[in-house]
Amino acid sequence: ANHFKSWGVFTTQDIIKYFPGFDSRRLFEWKQKGYIIKLAKTVYCFPDFCSTEMHLFRVANKLYPPSYVSFETALAFHNLIPEAVMQLKSATTKKTYSCETEVGNFEYKNIKETLFFGYAIHHVDEQPVLIAEPEKALLDLIYQNPSIKTRADFAGLRLNESGMANF
């Protein structure tokens, strides 16, 4: 398990890529001993990995690729909305999907492949984390909520206008 510690979150495919003869039954043993947490069918993380928002964003990227953190989650990350977001929301080109894990709740909303852009690559523990730029997070939110049509609807988003002046 120590070989994968620097990865934080990993898939069985990641392990097999680096260790072709790996016996996947080891993962069950490690889970039983509390060394790792199973997040999804083939995705695992270490219990102490999800200690920060950035670590959770890395989990979100890894749980359902291709995806990037967007919508209200990215707007909160960029300090453009006042409230904390309880569900971590991401954009994906795959079908809409949500899952509850031991480390948090994750929601993925489908966008067209041609709209899969506008994210920056940040890093946590030298691992990439894809997060929508502020403008793109807002565009994704509007794209997913066609009911936002009027100034009043837009005002209902409670955007931090002084924060928006920075981009």
Side-chain angles (χ1 to χ4, degrees):
N2 289 336
H3 291 289
F4 316 119
K5 197 80 168 163
S6 65
W7 297 351
V9 59
F10 57 92
T11 66
T12 51
Q13 294 89 339
D14 292 334
I15 297 170
I16 291 166
K17 182 177 171 183
Y18 290 93
F19 304 98
F22 183 78
D23 183 350
S24 60
R25 290 178 292 194
R26 286 265 171 268
L27 294 171
F28 180 77
E29 292 172 17
W30 295 343
K31 182 181 172 293
Q32 294 299 101
K33 292 179 179 179
Y35 299 159
I36 59 174
I37 296 171
K38 185 174 185 174
L39 299 172
K41 189 175 182 181
T42 63
V43 184
Y44 300 85
C45 75
F46 291 93
D48 58 348
F49 179 72
C50 299
S51 57
T52 71
E53 181 180 59
M54 267 318 228
H55 287 95
L56 288 172
F57 289 178
R58 172 73 181 146
V59 169
N61 288 172
K62 202 74 173 152
L63 264 176
Y64 200 61
S67 64
Y68 59 88
V69 172
S70 190
F71 308 103
E72 294 92 340
T73 305
L75 290 172
F77 172 78
H78 293 296
N79 297 312
L80 293 178
I81 57 173
E83 54 274 329
V85 180
M86 302 323 288
Q87 190 170 44
L88 206 151
K89 296 181 180 181
S90 297
T92 182
T93 56
K94 294 185 349 190
K95 68 179 187 171
T96 295
Y97 170 76
S98 63
C99 67
E100 294 180 14
T101 72
E102 285 185 43
V103 299
N105 298 331
F106 300 86
E107 183 177 351
Y108 301 84
K109 294 186 176 192
N110 172 265
I111 60 169
K112 295 177 188 173
E113 281 191 37
T114 55
L115 299 178
F116 196 87
F117 66 90
Y119 54 86
I121 302 173
H122 300 260
H123 289 87
V124 64
D125 301 334
E126 299 180 30
Q127 299 294 320
V129 180
L130 309 181
I131 306 172
E133 296 286 4
E135 304 93 329
K136 184 60 162 98
L138 186 56
L139 289 173
D140 286 345
L141 183 64
I142 293 168
Y143 175 78
Q144 283 293 328
N145 294 285
S147 61
I148 299 172
K149 294 178 180 167
T150 66
R151 284 179 186 249
D153 296 337
F154 201 74
L157 295 175
R158 298 179 53 218
L159 293 169
N160 172 0
E161 291 181 30
S162 63
M164 291 176 68
N166 297 328
F167 69 83

